[in-house]
Amino acid sequence: METLRFARETLRLQPNYLPAHLYEELGMNISRGRDLNKCAQKILETIALGQQILKGNAEPPATESPLEPEHINEILDIARYNLSDRYMRLGRYQDALDQLRLSEMLPKSVESKLKRRLKEASLLFRLKDREGSRIKLKQARDMDRELFMLLRERMAYDGHAGVDQPI
């Protein structure tokens, strides 16, 4: 798979380049031999590396412009969102919910916020918190009704339980 090959080549040249770690995990996730536990482990390693760079305990990669803490936090935000998805698919719903909530460190677009509320509603539904799930669905609907309907349908099709419940 090209994604894996290119990500790994980049990491050979720049071992601390966080986006390449995300692409490597993405390649692992979409490969035929996908192992969700290995994907989750890769994301945890990426988060740990990002935190080490933020603390000054790991060398940041060489980049054209200075690497700012907000750039690293943005990558960590994406990594935690992806980890939430991997945990959800592994049936680790509480861990998924915890990571989803950690992925909200930075400002988001309406679409991104709405997706997170829908995912949170699905995880709460799986954890048998029906009222909490409905509250998150209402919050998502109130952000943008048209986008809510579109994303709700797509996420229900993708296996996010509970997002299609009546609110």
Side-chain angles (χ1 to χ4, degrees), residues 17 60-68 71:
Y17 187 60
T63 56
E64 287 183 18
S65 57
L67 186 61
E68 301 294 334
H71 301 138

Side-chain angles (χ1 to χ4, degrees), residues 139-151:
Q139 289 173 351
R141 182 191 63 200
D142 291 346
M143 289 177 189
D144 182 319
R145 285 183 182 263
E146 189 175 326
L147 184 58
F148 169 76
M149 296 305 289
L150 176 70
L151 291 174

Side-chain angles (χ1 to χ4, degrees), residues 6 18 58 73 78-79 117 119 136 138:
F6 290 135
L18 292 172
N73 282 324
I78 294 166
R117 290 299 167 275
K119 191 172 200 176
K136 293 300 173 183
K138 287 177 185 176

Side-chain angles (χ1 to χ4, degrees), residues 6-22:
F6 290 135
R8 288 179 175 157
E9 179 63 18
T10 300
L11 289 171
R12 187 182 67 73
L13 300 170
Q14 287 281 356
N16 289 353
Y17 187 60
L18 292 172
H21 286 276
L22 290 181

Side-chain angles (χ1 to χ4, degrees), residues 111-123:
E111 180 178 352
S112 189
K113 287 179 191 176
L114 208 151
K115 283 180 185 177
R116 280 173 166 72
R117 290 299 167 275
L118 286 169
K119 191 172 200 176
E120 196 170 0
S122 175
L123 290 166

